[in-house]
């Protein structure tokens, strides 16, 4: 990474100054969107550990995620910002541009921890000028979950590409006993939007660029549309969303589907409200043992592939007590990092893999953290080292429409319009052909400001 301007106080001098100033304890404020009581308690415990280590107090303040943007804008206008904000990806670049976040402070933290210890995909989405808008903290990537046992029996390669998925459908689709896929087809569900974005990203197709709307290329978009029609035709009839995808996979009646990692504990029989029904024992981990996971997925025009990711960041604000805020973020990403991840390990993959001395330390220890509701077990014990590595590897190629070009706000408007869902569904239902679908997408998405 290109060096950026630095404050007059260098890294070594900063450390000496902080050490000398230990007798002067400060209090900083920390906003977090993790407001559920159990999650809040874990963050307060981590903050208490920071206080014990440094003498500085941290006031942990829960903020509802849907209100975060409004609260931050109002606090910025009033000169009453917190020092550190745990926030979703969508705010990173806009807040840095507005002055709400301090990119120099975030870049200091990342460089001191070691940029090479972070997942490159997560860092790329935080790039701002010659540094970073905010510090990547944790995230998850959407997955293709598949019946590894059936793939192995049929001599099939894992479904890491459009072609591999279509080859598996050709061999395994045998309804109603076994559907090749359960694709999202319910237009008014956000689940369909997420799955479609995943499939578009896999082929390197996005409707946004650095200047706003980017017209969809007909050839590569038709590859996306044809693939989505293929998986939809191999799915059960009806309007399908996350519920059917999970239920049909849990009953053993589909070879593949797409879901978030929050299915991992349920898949292993650890949640009574959503048990696997493939056996008579709702607490059995048998289905988990038969399941493989793919995060990095590719189309014919994008062989490197991509992973649809949700990421959270630790942002240091422009009004922060910068030295103490930086120390708190570094603590949260180092000594306190496993406590940060333990809030919800199945949905908080380690964006920071380890340290310079032990590059995989946080991945290894994260895989040992318990997941589950009614029963608990470690992801590493349930799924094995290869699957754990696949889960975190998705963050290397993590992407979202508009995230790397500062256009997530526009991309979100496009997604929320459900134009992509509607047009793709019309194409699936053979109401329009592929060329007309591309034309409609460009017309509708291009009109969104």
């Amino acid at each position: 990474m290109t060096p950026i301007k630095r404050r007059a106080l260098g890294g070594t001098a900063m450390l000496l100054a902080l050490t000398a100033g230990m007798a002067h304890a400060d209090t900083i404020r920390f906003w977090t969107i993790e407001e559920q009581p159990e999650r809040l308690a874990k963050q307060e415990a981590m903050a208490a550990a920071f206080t014990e280590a440094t003498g500085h107090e941290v006031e942990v303040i829960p903020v509802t995620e849907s209100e975060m943007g409004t609260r931050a804008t109002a606090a910025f206008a009033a000169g009453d910002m917190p020092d550190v904000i745990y926030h979703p990806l969508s705010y990173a670049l806009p807040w840095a541009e507005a002055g709400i976040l301090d990119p120099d402070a975030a870049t200091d933290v990342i460089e001191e921890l070691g940029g090479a210890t972070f997942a490159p995909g997560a860092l790329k989405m935080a790039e701002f000028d010659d540094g970073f808008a905010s510090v990547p903290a944790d995230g998850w990537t959407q997955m293709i979950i598949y019946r590894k046992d059936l793939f192995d029996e049929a001599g099939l390669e894992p479904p890491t590409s459009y072609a591999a998925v279509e080859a598996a459908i050709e061999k395994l689709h045998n309804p109603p006993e076994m559907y090749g896929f359960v694709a999202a087809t319910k237009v008014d569900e956000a689940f369909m939007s997420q799955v479609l974005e995943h499939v578009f990203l896999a082929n390197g197709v996005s409707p946004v660029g650095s200047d706003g709307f980017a017209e969809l290329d007909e050839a590569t978009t038709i590859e996306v549309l044809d693939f989505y029609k293929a998986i939809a035709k191999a799915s059960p009839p009806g309007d399908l969303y996350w519920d059917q995808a999970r239920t049909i996979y849990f009953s053993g009646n589909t070879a593949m589907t797409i879901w978030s990692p929050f299915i991992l504990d349920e898949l292993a029989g650890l949640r009574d409200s959503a048990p696997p029904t493939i056996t008579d024992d709702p607490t059995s981990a048998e289905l988990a043992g038969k399941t493989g996971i793919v995060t990095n997925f590719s189309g014919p025009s994008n062989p490197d592939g991509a992973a649809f990711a949700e990421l959270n960041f630790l942002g240091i604000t422009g009004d922060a007590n910068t030295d103490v805020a930086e120390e708190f973020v570094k603590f949260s990403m180092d000594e306190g990092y496993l406590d940060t991840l333990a809030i919800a390990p199945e949905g908080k993959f380690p964006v920071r893999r380890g340290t310079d001395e032990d590059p995989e330390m946080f991945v290894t220890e994260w895989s040992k953290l318990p997941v589950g509701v009614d029963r608990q077990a470690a992801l590493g014990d349930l799924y094995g080292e290869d699957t754990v590595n696949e889960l975190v590897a998705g963050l290397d190629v993590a992407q979202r429409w508009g995230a790397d070009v500062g256009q997530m706000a526009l991309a979100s408007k496009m997604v929320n319009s459900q134009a992509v869902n509607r047009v793709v569904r019309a194409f699936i239902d053979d109401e329009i052909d592929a060329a007309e679908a591309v034309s409609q997408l460009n017309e509708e998405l291009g009109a969104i400001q």
Side-chain angles (χ1 to χ4, degrees):
M1 186 190 68
T2 307
I4 69 168
K5 61 185 175 65
R6 283 286 168 269
R7 301 179 182 81
L9 190 62
T12 303
M14 182 182 291
L15 180 61
L16 292 172
L18 288 170
T19 304
M22 284 288 288
H24 175 67
D26 292 328
T27 297
I28 62 171
R29 290 182 297 159
F30 172 46
W31 281 7
T32 175
I33 55 174
E34 296 288 8
E35 58 180 339
Q36 296 176 8
E38 288 185 4
R39 297 186 178 193
L40 195 60
K42 289 180 179 178
Q43 291 168 100
E44 289 171 339
M46 190 266 288
F50 173 75
T51 299
E52 184 176 348
T54 66
H56 299 301
E57 301 279 344
V58 179
E59 183 182 358
V60 182
I61 302 168
V63 177
T64 300
E65 183 171 352
S66 61
E67 299 174 359
M68 177 68 81
T70 303
R71 287 277 298 271
T73 300
F76 181 61
D80 189 32
M81 290 293 293
D83 300 88
V84 179
I85 306 178
Y86 177 76
H87 64 86
L89 166 66
S90 56
Y91 292 121
L93 297 183
W95 279 358
E97 290 172 351
I100 291 174
L101 295 181
D102 180 353
D104 282 353
T107 305
D108 283 342
V109 169
I110 290 168
E111 291 187 347
E112 289 184 35
L113 291 173
T117 66
F118 286 80
L123 283 182
K124 183 172 180 57
M125 286 197 278
E127 286 180 352
F128 183 81
D129 291 341
D130 291 326
F132 302 98
S134 194
V135 180
D138 60 72
W140 57 262
T141 53
Q142 201 157 243
M143 316 172 305
I144 297 178
I145 58 172
Y146 69 100
R147 286 287 300 275
K148 186 176 184 299
D149 58 326
L150 301 182
F151 273 64
D152 290 345
E153 289 170 12
L156 292 162
E157 293 296 318
T160 57
S161 67
Y162 284 14
V165 168
E166 290 174 321
I169 288 172
E170 181 69 25
K171 280 203 173 184
L172 300 177
H173 183 58
N174 184 32
E177 291 81 13
M178 180 63 65
Y179 288 92
F181 213 99
V182 180
T185 57
K186 193 171 191 297
V187 170
D188 60 351
E189 278 281 337
F191 182 69
M192 185 176 181
S193 300
Q194 290 184 350
V195 173
L196 276 169
E197 186 174 339
H198 188 174
V199 173
F200 272 76
L201 287 169
N203 205 37
V205 179
S206 172
V208 291
S210 57
D211 296 326
F213 168 68
E215 186 171 295
L216 297 172
D217 174 73
E218 183 173 271
T220 54
T221 305
I222 286 176
E223 289 173 342
V224 176
L225 294 170
D226 286 343
F227 172 75
Y228 208 83
K229 178 177 278 192
I231 63 174
K233 295 296 187 185
S235 301
D239 294 331
L240 308 174
Y241 59 107
W242 60 264
D243 191 20
Q244 293 95 333
R246 181 179 62 183
T247 299
I248 295 167
Y249 190 84
F250 279 11
S251 67
N253 295 116
T254 186
M256 295 172 280
T257 193
I258 292 177
W259 236 82
S260 80
F262 292 98
I263 201 172
L264 293 173
D265 59 340
E266 301 168 348
L267 191 60
L270 301 177
R271 186 188 292 261
D272 289 342
S273 62
T277 56
I278 194 170
T279 71
D280 292 334
D281 180 4
T283 68
S284 172
E286 180 179 327
L287 185 56
K290 294 179 176 180
T291 293
I293 289 166
V294 166
T295 53
N296 185 19
F297 182 53
S298 68
S301 293
N302 185 38
D304 289 339
F308 174 97
E310 289 280 8
L311 293 169
N312 294 306
F313 291 77
L314 287 164
I316 298 168
T317 69
D319 295 336
N321 179 334
T322 305
D323 291 343
V324 179
E326 285 189 12
E327 287 302 302
F328 176 64
V329 174
K330 284 186 285 187
F331 184 89
S332 302
M333 297 299 300
D334 199 59
E335 299 99 317
Y337 194 36
L338 288 173
D339 293 326
T340 300
L341 300 175
I343 293 171
E346 70 278 13
K348 292 186 178 295
F349 299 177
V351 168
R352 189 174 185 229
R353 301 292 168 71
T355 64
D356 289 332
E357 296 75 24
D358 188 351
E360 295 299 318
M361 178 179 74
F362 294 126
V363 174
T364 301
E365 295 304 314
W366 165 77
S367 73
K368 300 175 184 177
L369 296 173
V371 299
V373 176
D374 300 290
R375 288 156 296 283
Q376 293 197 318
L379 286 174
D381 292 340
L382 293 170
Y383 294 100
E385 183 179 356
D386 288 346
T387 296
V388 166
N389 290 337
E390 173 68 22
L391 288 172
V392 297
L395 294 171
D396 290 344
V397 290
Q399 291 186 30
R400 289 289 297 278
W401 280 346
D404 60 344
V405 291
Q407 293 286 354
M408 279 203 77
L410 176 60
S412 295
K413 290 179 182 178
M414 292 178 176
V415 169
N416 293 338
S417 75
Q418 298 177 338
V420 179
N421 298 13
R422 292 194 308 273
V423 174
V424 171
R425 181 60 193 262
F427 173 68
I428 288 169
D429 292 341
D430 301 314
E431 296 172 3
I432 55 176
D433 64 19
E436 176 61 21
V438 177
S439 177
Q440 284 191 24
L441 286 171
N442 279 325
E443 181 180 353
E444 292 201 38
L445 298 177
I448 295 172
Q449 302 295 324

